[in-house]
Amino acid sequence: MPSVLVAAWLVSFLSPGSVALDLALEGAWKGWKEQHTKVYLEEEEVFRREVWEKNLRRIEQHNWEASQGKHSYWLGMNHFGDLTDEEFNQLLNGFRPDPDLINQRPVFQESPLLYLPESLDWRAKGYVTPVKNQGHCGACWAFSATGALEGLLFNQTGTLVPLSEQNLIDCSWKVGNHGCHGGYITQAFEYVRENGGIASEHDYPYVEQEESRCRYDPRIRAANCSSLVRVQAGSEGALAQAVATVGPVSVAVDARSFFFHFYHSGIFASSWCGQQVNHAMLLVGYGTAQEGGKPIDYWILKNSWSEKWGEEGYMRLVRGLDNHCGVASQASYPVM
Ligand SMILES: *[C@@H]1O[C@H](CO)[C@@H](O)[C@H](O)[C@H]1NC(C)=O
Ligand SMILES: *[C@@H]1O[C@H](CO)[C@@H](O)[C@H](O)[C@H]1NC(C)=O
């Protein structure tokens, strides 16, 4: 456990006078711990309970506002309920923005004449593997990259094979990635190109931590890429064309807010979502929904926080408004 956390719960343990737990929530707290198999040291439990209660109140407040028509999405308590916003961001949001994005080619540019379907969902076409769970490891960048590579492989071979994030975590340090402590989507593709392949999840399974040795071997190569393409930064039009013509595209978003962490359903649009992207996801389609009698466009994003988060592991994010959450700022995909 990081020393900050230890310090935080020690303080709460040593000053029990400041703790005011809501006894009416006793049963709900026990049920939540059981559901997510949470076990704490006695000294830590009070602190975790306080955090969980605070999160629960904010969720209820938001959902009450949503029921009054003030929001287009709902929140829900989930397995992250005992984390503070700061802990969450430290543990889980490991995307590093690509400093060279603007200068590098090739770039997918928006073309004025391209016809696009009104809606699109690569999941229905067999391009997308089941939702994964990164656990307590900041390797979202690796999950986003494998998602795009899985789509590319499906396009080429017609078979869907889950690919190995652990391969990227253990073996791509030399191109600038930092395992469970963050990385670049583009450098994950660069590793696969340079390495001449990536293993399947089956042959190189996920262990939720950095291993001291890279276990890649060309005999377990499951997929390949020969280069990567960046999507014109900040253009949702280019992003729509890319996802419509290529397949799933890796993107990064600003996932720092409480509202993102506890997103449950609906179309996410939040004034707390900025342009400072810190979390990698996989764009798998887009569409339009009716909200309160008005059409609202959305992106479909696959996350790596298990099916317990969001809409079975996915988020619908408002589209075509203001490059919401920076979704079009750092998009890229691999090619063969
Ligand atoms: C692969 O993509 C190309 C266009 O990029 C498309 O014409 C082809 O049908 C796709 N193959 C599969 C198996 O989806
Ligand atoms: C991947 O690329 C390497 C190096 O160019 C090549 O030797 C290999 O055949 C390719 N493998 C697959 C699975 O396409």
Side-chain angles (χ1 to χ4, degrees):
M1 182 186 298
S3 56
V4 209
L5 302 199
V6 177
W9 60 255
L10 269 184
V11 166
S12 82
F13 174 59
L14 294 173
S15 52
S18 67
V19 178
L21 296 178
D22 183 345
L23 294 178
L25 290 174
E26 194 64 30
W29 167 243
K30 286 213 173 95
W32 179 85
K33 281 193 298 177
E34 241 163 68
Q35 188 188 350
H36 302 292
T37 50
K38 302 274 183 182
V39 181
Y40 307 105
L41 296 174
E42 205 179 319
E43 318 84 274
E44 186 187 8
E45 175 139 354
V46 175
F47 175 69
R48 290 297 155 203
R49 166 89 176 256
E50 278 186 294
V51 171
W52 175 85
E53 282 191 15
K54 189 165 160 244
N55 286 334
L56 187 64
R57 291 216 174 80
R58 289 167 83 188
I59 290 165
E60 284 170 349
Q61 171 69 22
H62 172 92
N63 286 348
W64 183 79
E65 290 170 15
S67 74
Q68 308 296 302
K70 288 191 182 143
H71 306 288
S72 55
Y73 69 100
W74 300 80
L75 300 181
M77 178 48 80
N78 59 28
H79 51 304
F80 301 129
D82 57 354
L83 296 178
T84 66
D85 293 352
E86 295 73 25
E87 286 171 338
F88 193 106
N89 286 324
Q90 228 170 33
L91 277 174
L92 281 152
N93 295 340
F95 171 76
R96 301 185 179 209
D98 180 344
D100 291 332
L101 188 81
I102 313 289
N103 306 319
Q104 296 209 12
R105 310 223 152 236
V107 170
F108 182 97
Q109 300 271 3
E110 186 172 3
S111 119
L113 296 175
L114 204 61
Y115 162 81
L116 289 188
E118 297 252 303
S119 66
L120 172 83
D121 188 345
W122 288 109
R123 291 174 296 184
K125 297 183 174 145
Y127 275 64
V128 186
T129 58
V131 169
K132 302 182 189 183
N133 187 3
Q134 67 185 86
H136 284 195
C137 163
C140 57
W141 57 275
F143 285 83
S144 172
T146 53
L149 288 158
E150 287 160 358
L152 175 65
L153 181 66
F154 182 83
N155 179 267
Q156 292 174 334
T157 64
T159 37
L160 190 62
V161 180
L163 297 174
S164 173
E165 295 78 29
Q166 197 64 45
N167 185 173
L168 299 173
I169 291 168
D170 295 345
C171 312
S172 71
W173 293 80
K174 58 181 180 295
V175 292
N177 291 327
H178 290 85
C180 288
H181 295 89
Y184 307 93
I185 298 166
T186 45
Q187 290 307 92
F189 298 145
E190 178 55 22
Y191 160 78
V192 175
R193 186 197 66 77
E194 208 176 279
N195 186 53
I198 177 173
S200 68
E201 196 93 74
H202 177 264
D203 287 334
Y204 202 148
Y206 189 54
V207 298
E208 211 186 306
Q209 60 186 356
E210 294 156 4
E211 298 178 298
S212 53
R213 198 170 63 83
C214 169
R215 292 185 284 115
Y216 181 79
D217 176 322
R219 284 172 301 184
I220 56 169
R221 169 170 53 214
N224 232 348
C225 71
S226 54
S227 62
L228 66 97
V229 177
R230 293 169 163 83
V231 179
Q232 189 183 339
S235 168
E236 286 186 271
L239 186 57
Q241 292 186 352
V243 73
T245 53
V246 171
V249 171
S250 288
V251 297
V253 294
D254 176 354
R256 289 172 300 161
S257 82
F258 169 83
F259 303 95
F260 200 103
H261 302 164
F262 290 98
Y263 165 77
H264 179 260
S265 58
I267 297 173
F268 189 74
S270 165
S271 53
W272 296 97
C273 217
Q275 301 280 315
Q276 204 178 312
V277 298
N278 72 330
H279 180 55
M281 295 173 91
L282 185 70
L283 176 62
V284 300
Y286 58 80
T288 304
Q290 295 295 326
E291 279 285 327
K294 279 183 295 183
I296 163 164
D297 293 337
Y298 60 82
W299 297 111
I300 308 168
L301 297 168
K302 184 188 188 189
N303 204 353
S304 48
W305 293 347
S306 90
E307 289 176 345
K308 291 188 236 165
W309 178 88
E311 298 184 325
E312 315 267 281
Y314 287 82
M315 169 182 265
R316 283 182 295 155
L317 172 70
V318 70
R319 170 170 64 101
L321 184 63
D322 53 358
N323 183 21
H324 209 63
C325 303
V327 66
S329 298
Q330 295 265 335
S332 63
Y333 58 89
V335 291
M336 187 61 213

